[in-house]
Amino acid sequence: MPSAGDRTRSSDTTHHGFEHPFAFWAGALACTLGVLLHLPMYVSARHMGYHMRGMEADASMIAGMVLIVLGLLAVLYGLVPRRGKEIQRESARIRIRALDDAPLRGPHIALLIVMAIAVTIDVMKPTALAFVAPGVAHEYGLKSPMNPGGDIPVSWLPLAGITGTVIGSLIWGWLGDRIGRRSSLLFAGMLFVTTSICGAMPGFTWNLVMCGLMGIGAGGMLPITFTLLAETIPARHRGWLMVLIGGDIAGAYVITSWLAAELTPTYSWRILWLIGLPTGLLFIALNRWIPESPRFLLASGRRREAEQVMAKYGAVAETDDAPEQTVRTEAGRGSYRTLLRGPLLGPTLAIGILGIGVGLMTFGFQMWVPTNLQHLGYSEVNSDYVVRNAAVLGLPLTVVAAWMYGVWGSRRTLVTVCAVTGLALLGFLVAGDSLAEDRLLLSLLLVVPLTGASTVVAVVAGYAAEVYPTLVRSHGTGLAAGMTKVGGVLILSLTVAAAAVPSIGLTAVIGAVPLLLAALLFLRVGPETKSRGLEDISQELMASRS
C-alpha cells in the first residue's frame, strides 16, 4: 500500500486533476501560442490562394516551433506520475468492475458525450487526408490521377500520416497502462493542438514530418477511449454504447467532407489541418468530465479520489488478483508479447486480420474515393458532396450495428458486419467506371463501404476493450487500433512504389478479402462478450483455451 506521505501528497493535488497542474497549464498555453505564431505566414499567403510553396519560415514561425517543443515537455511533466513503474506494478493487482446492473447515470452520459467528441476529433485527422490529398498534389506538383506527370507520388502524405497512427496506437496502448487513461487522453489532445501547424508548413518535406507527428497523436485517442469506457460502463450497456460511440467515425466523415466542400475552395486544403487548434482546445476544455481510472488512482495512493470516481460511476474495487495471475501464468508479463501467447493468441489473430482488412478498405478504397471520383470526371467540390451524401445516408447503419451488438451479441455482429461490408465492396468490381454516369447509384453503393469502415472499426475496438484482461487491456485496444492502420501502411506503400493511385475496383477487392476471412475466424475463435463482466470474459477465455 502507498505510504501516508503518498496519500497526503495525492490529496493535496488531486483536486487539480493533474500531477503538476501549473506545469500542465503553462505548457498548454505555450503550445497554443506556438500554434498561433504560425498563422501570420498562412494569412499573408491569402492573395496567392493560400499557396505557401517556396516561402521561407519567418521568425514568428521559428519562435512558435520552440514554444511548442517546450510546451509539450511541460505538459508531459504535468501529467506523468512520479512513481510510474511502481504504480504500474501495483495497478496490475487491482481490478475495477462496473456494477453489471447499475443504471446509466448523469456522469455516464457526460462521459459518453465527451468520448463521442473525442472520437470525432480523433477520426477527423486521418479522414481529412482523403480531402487534403488533391490540394496538396496541385500545390506541390505531385503525381496523382489529376497530375500524372508529377515526380513524387502524393501517396507519401497519407503514408506518413498512417504510419504515425500505427506508432501512436502502440505507444498509447502502453502509455495508458503506465500513466493512466485520463493523462494519456489529454496528452493526445495536446498533440492535436500542436500538430495543426501542418496547415502552415511551406515545404512538402515539413508537411510529411508534421503529418507523421499528427498521426502519432491521432493513433492514441481511440484505444484509450474504449479502454476507459469498458472499465466505466455497466456490462448490460457497455457493448452497444461503445459501438455507438465508435460509430461516430461516420459522423466525423460527414463533418470532414462538409468542411472540405465549404472551406477548401476559399481557404485551401490547409484549413482542414488548422482546425485542429480549436477542436483540440475544445477537448482539453472538457477534461473535467473525463475521470481517471480508479484502478490507477488506487495504485498511486489516491484512494479518496478513487472512491469518489467509483461512487459516481457505480463501480467497485477488488484486490483478488486470481484472473490476472492466470494471465501472468499463461502468457507472462503485461506487454504486447502477452497478446500473442497462450489463450490470447486466437482472438488476437482474428482481431489483427480484421484490423488489416479495415485498414486496406479505409486507406485503399475510402482514402482515394475523392481522388478517383475526380478522375471519373467529378469536380473537387462535387466529389466531396457525393462522399458526404453517402456518409449521411449510412449514419443509421451505425445505430443498427449498435443494436445488433447489444441484442445479437458481439461475435454475431462482427461476423455479419464483416460479411456484408466485404460483399458490398465486391459490387464495385462489377460496376467499374460505369458509376461515373449515375450519381445516385454511386452514392447508394458508397453507403455500405463508407459506413461499414467506421462500423467495423467501432465494433473491433469495442470488442478488444472487452475481451482482453485488465492487465493488458490498453495494450489490446492499442494493438487493435494499430492493426486497422497497418493495412493502410501496406496499401499506401504499394501505391507509393507503383507511383499511381489504384482504381476503385482494385481497392475494393483488396479490402474485401481479409474482411471475409476475418468473418470466418471470429466464428471459430471469438469469445462472446454480451452483457458479461470483463473479469468473467477473461476467466472463461483462459479456462477454455488453456
Side-chain angles (χ1 to χ4, degrees), residues 61-79:
M61 180 177 285
I62 295 173
M65 291 182 181
V66 173
L67 275 176
I68 287 173
V69 172
L70 295 177
L72 285 175
L73 291 174
V75 166
L76 190 60
Y77 176 74
L79 291 171

Side-chain angles (χ1 to χ4, degrees), residues 127-360:
T127 299
L129 285 168
F131 302 96
V132 164
V136 173
H138 175 69
E139 179 169 343
Y140 292 102
L142 306 177
K143 188 170 185 177
S144 71
M146 303 302 295
N147 183 32
D151 294 327
I152 302 174
V154 69
S155 306
W156 276 109
L157 184 72
L159 178 60
I162 302 310
T163 301
T165 61
V166 174
I167 297 171
S169 296
L170 299 177
I171 290 175
W172 258 257
W174 168 81
L175 202 63
D177 285 327
R178 181 67 178 271
I179 70 171
R181 319 308 195 206
R182 180 176 186 272
S183 295
S184 300
L185 284 170
L186 291 177
F187 191 64
M190 191 51 61
L191 282 179
F192 286 178
V193 172
T194 55
T195 55
S196 64
I197 64 173
C198 186
M201 292 292 105
F204 181 61
T205 300
W206 272 108
N207 269 276
L208 292 180
V209 172
M210 294 309 304
C211 198
L213 294 175
M214 184 186 299
I216 291 177
M221 184 71 76
L222 202 62
I224 303 302
T225 294
F226 280 97
T227 298
L228 185 59
L229 289 174
E231 295 176 342
T232 309
I233 305 298
R236 63 174 176 164
H237 302 293
R238 183 184 63 232
W240 70 270
L241 278 174
M242 286 198 297
V243 173
L244 191 62
I245 295 299
D248 198 43
I249 294 171
Y253 207 89
V254 172
I255 294 172
T256 306
S257 59
W258 173 73
L259 289 172
E262 295 294 329
L263 299 180
T264 56
T266 302
Y267 301 103
S268 87
W269 58 270
R270 296 178 179 276
I271 194 66
L272 295 181
W273 292 146
L274 291 172
I275 58 177
L277 173 62
T279 55
L281 290 177
L282 170 64
F283 177 71
I284 298 298
L286 297 173
N287 80 88
R288 62 172 296 182
W289 287 283
I290 304 174
E292 183 52 272
S293 167
R295 169 174 164 263
F296 178 81
L297 295 173
L298 288 171
S300 58
R302 296 155 66 173
R303 176 168 294 276
R304 179 176 298 179
E305 188 177 356
E307 291 173 348
Q308 291 174 348
V309 172
M310 289 187 290
K312 284 177 62 177
Y313 292 93
V316 293
E318 300 173 349
T319 56
D320 178 12
D321 56 0
E324 296 303 325
Q325 185 60 42
T326 302
V327 177
R328 291 180 181 276
T329 301
E330 293 288 342
R333 297 169 50 191
S335 66
Y336 282 109
R337 288 179 297 178
T338 302
L339 308 179
L340 301 174
R341 296 174 177 172
L344 299 182
L345 177 59
T348 298
L349 181 62
I351 289 172
I353 292 177
L354 175 56
I356 291 175
V358 172
L360 291 172

